[in-house]
Amino acid sequence: MVTAATEADDTPVFRIGMLGPSRVGKTSLVVSMLTDGERLLGGTPVVLRAADERTKRLLRLRRQELDGGLLARKFDSAVMPGSLDLTYFNLEMRAGQAAEGIRFSLLDFPGGWLSEQEGRSAEEVRNWDECQSFLAECNVLVVPVDATVLMEADQPQHWRSVPAVLETLAVQEMAELWAGNRNLAPEEPALVVLAPVKCESYFADNGGLRDDSQLLRERVLQVYDRVIELVRLNAPHAQIRYCPVDTLGCVELVKVHWQTDPDEPGTHRPTGTFAIRDRGRISIVGAEDILGAVCGLLAGARRRVTAGEADRHVGRARYAEQRGQELKRGFFRHVRNWMNGSIRANDLERAGQLAKAQELRNQAEQLARAVDMLADRKPSGRSKAL
Amino acid sequence: MSEEPTPAVAAGESPGRPEPVVRGYVMSRGYPRQADYRFLGAAPDPGWWTRHRSHTDVNYPTLLVEARGGRWRAYLSGIPSQRRDEVSTPIRFTLALEGATASGGADGVVRLVARWLDGHADGSGRAVLGERMDGLFPDDAEVVDLRRRHDVEAVGVVQDRMERLLTSLEAPGGPEPTEWADRSWIASAADGPGAAAFVERVRALLAGEQDGDALVLNLVEQAEEAPPVAAGESLAVLTATGGPDRPRALPAAIPGQSGDQGPKAPGRTTPASPVDVRRALPLVLAALLLVLLILWCATR
C-alpha cells in the first residue's frame, strides 16, 4: 500500500512534511490549515480533524497564541514564536460515508535544523535525522515561502540576499532527495505545494488594497525554478501546485526595513511591520486550496487501493467458486464433501469474499465522489497547477 | 519513567574544571533567522525531556524534574526574553539543570521552580525569570556567538551566569511549600495548594528523600491522561490547563504489572476446534457405504 508509515493496526498513514527555513511561517501555516479544517473543506464530503486528543491540544495551544497575539494588537510580522522541538500532528480525514478515515501525519520542526549543520549537538543531529527521513519519505511536501521577502526586494543587494534569507539551496537539496525517493515508488501519491505565506498585502480578494498576485507568482517561480526542475526531473509523476495563502487575512504590511546581517555583511535581511485590519478578525484564504489538493490526492490514492482490495476479494470469490465446482465433481466426492462440510464452508467463504468486495467497492465509490467534489469545488482562484 | 539520569558530559567541558554542584544549560536563539534555538556553549544529556513528548509540548511552558539513582535533572521552558527575532516575535529561554541529590546547592533550583510556577496562568513568574535572564544575557550578538561555540570558555560563561541566576533568586510570596499526603497526585498549576505541594516535592526530590518525577505538563488535563507512576517512585503532576482544583491522588503502580500485554500473535489466535463428532459420524457411515459399494461392484 501507499508509502507512509503504518501504525500498529496496519492502517496506512500518509505523511505531510513542511520544508522551510526558520521563521518563514511553517507553524502559522500548519495552524491556518488545520484549525479550520472543517470550515475550509465546507461544501465537500470531506471532513478533516485531529486524530487524537494530543493533536487537538497541540492545535489549541497554537490557535490560542495566534488569537491572543491578535487581540493584544502586538502583531508585527509573526505571532507564533519559533519552534524549539519537532512536533507531529496526527490527523484523520473522512471522505463521504466511508467507514474508515484516512490518517495522515504532519511534521513541523525548527527551521534552523534545515540549514545549520555545523556545531550541532547530539540531540540536534538525532532530531534532524528523524526530520530528514520523514521529509524524504513523505507523500506531500509543503514549501512555505515568505512572500514579504520576495515582494519587498527592490534593490540588487536585496535580490542577492534572497537565496540566503529563504535558504533556497537547503530547500533544493531536500526537494531533490524527496523527489528521488518518490521516483522509487511511482505508484504512490506525490505532491509538492509551493505556498507563499503572509500574502495579505499582495491580493485584492481578501480586504487588500492592491493586486500584485501575478508579480508574486512570477517571483516565486523564478526563485524556486530549480526546485520545480529537480522535482520534474526526479519524480515526473509528482504533482506540483502553487497555493498562495493569507495566513491570517487581517493584517496589512506597513513597512519593510532591510538590515545588513552583522555575521554576513553581504546579506541584507528584511523585517516587516504589519498593522491589523478592521477588527482583527482572522480570515484565512488559500489554505483551503492546499487542503483540497492534499485531500484530493490522498482520497484518490486510497480509492485506488480500496478498489484494488475489492478486486482481490472478487478474485478470491472466483477461486472459491472454482473450488466449489471441484468439490462437487463426481458423485462420491460430492457426497463426501457435502457430508464433511467442505462445500458449505466453501460457499460461506465465497459469499464472505463477495460481501467484502461489495463493501470495499462502495467505499471506493464514496472516495471517488469525494475526489470529484473536491476537484469541482470553488477554489479561492489563487491556486494553480504547475 | 524509570530511566536513570546520567552525569552530563558537556561538550567542551574541561577535565580540569571541578564538577559544579549544579550544572546549568541555557537554550535561546538570536535575532537573525538562521540563529535558531540551540543550547549555548554545551548541551545536556541528549534530549531526556523528549520522553515526555506525549504529555507535553516543550514549545509551550513546561517544567520537568526527575530524580533517581542519586542524580536529579530539571528542564524549564517558556521563559520570555525582551529580545525579538527577525520577524519580531519574542525570543524565549529554556533552562536545563542537573546535579547529584543531597549534595547541597539545590535551594536555588527550588526557588527557580517556585518562581517559574508563580502566577502560572498569566506567566508573571516566568516574566520575572525572563528579566533576570535578559540581565545575564543582554547582548544578542553574544547569544549568537555562544550558540555556535562549545569550547571551555563558552561553557564556563554559561555556567557562571546560571550560578548567578540561582544565587540571585528569592522565593516568591504565596503559600508555604507543604507536602501533600498522597505520594502521587495531580492538580491544576493555577491551584495555590497544588503549586505549593509541587515546590515541596521538588525540594524532596533534589534532597534525595525520594525518587520520582515532578512535572508541569500542557497536554494533560485529567488524572487518566497523566503518565504512569513507576513502581516505588512518586509522581506529582501540575496541569497547565484544566486539572483538579485540589491535588487528587494518582493510582500507584502495582509492582510487576506492565501495561504491555506482550506482542500480538499474528493471524488468528482462536484455538483449533476439537473434532466434531456429529460431523465425523456421517463421514464414517459414508465411508462404510462406499466400501460396501466397491465390494458389491467387485463381486458382480
Side-chain angles (χ1 to χ4, degrees), chain A residues 9-21:
Chain A
D9 59 1
D10 289 337
T11 307
V13 180
F14 294 94
R15 293 173 169 185
I16 301 177
M18 308 294 291
L19 177 59

Side-chain angles (χ1 to χ4, degrees), chain A residues 22-24 53-54 57-58 60-62 65 74 76-87 110-113 116 118-124 126-127 130 146 149 165 167 198 259 261 263-264 269-272 332 336 339-341, chain B residues 27 29 31-39 43 46-50 53-60 75 77-78 84-90 92 94 144 147-148 150 218-222 225 241 264 279 281-283 285-286 290 293:
Chain A
S22 177
R23 310 311 292 129
V24 74
E53 200 58 35
R54 181 177 178 278
R57 287 177 190 164
L58 287 170
R60 192 175 65 196
L61 282 169
R62 284 155 180 76
E65 190 147 40
K74 283 182 179 173
D76 289 309
S77 171
V79 189
M80 304 296 297
S83 300
L84 305 178
D85 194 13
L86 50 83
T87 309
W113 295 352
E116 195 173 24
E118 288 165 14
R120 282 180 176 160
S121 67
E123 176 64 8
E124 281 179 310
R126 196 176 67 177
N127 281 332
E130 187 177 333
D146 189 335
V149 177
V165 175
E167 304 277 8
K198 305 173 196 169
Q259 281 181 300
D261 186 335
D263 286 341
E264 299 169 49
R269 296 181 176 276
T271 302
F332 292 117
R336 186 190 68 204
M339 292 181 84
N340 69 15
Chain B
M27 177 193 271
R29 66 161 296 143
Y31 173 84
R33 283 177 194 247
Q34 73 275 20
D36 213 340
Y37 284 98
R38 179 177 267 191
F39 279 101
W48 61 267
W49 54 89
T50 58
R53 264 185 195 152
S54 53
H55 296 103
T56 200
D57 179 359
V58 297
N59 290 301
Y60 293 86
Y75 178 92
S77 75
R84 295 200 160 215
D85 64 23
E86 202 171 289
V87 291
S88 303
T89 46
R92 292 157 293 163
T94 296
V144 171
R147 61 182 292 292
R148 280 199 205 109
H150 304 302
N218 52 41
L219 298 179
V220 168
E221 292 183 3
Q222 300 167 41
E225 298 164 350
T241 51
K264 247 187 199 173
R279 283 193 174 188
L281 189 61
L283 191 65
L285 289 173
L290 184 65
L293 194 63

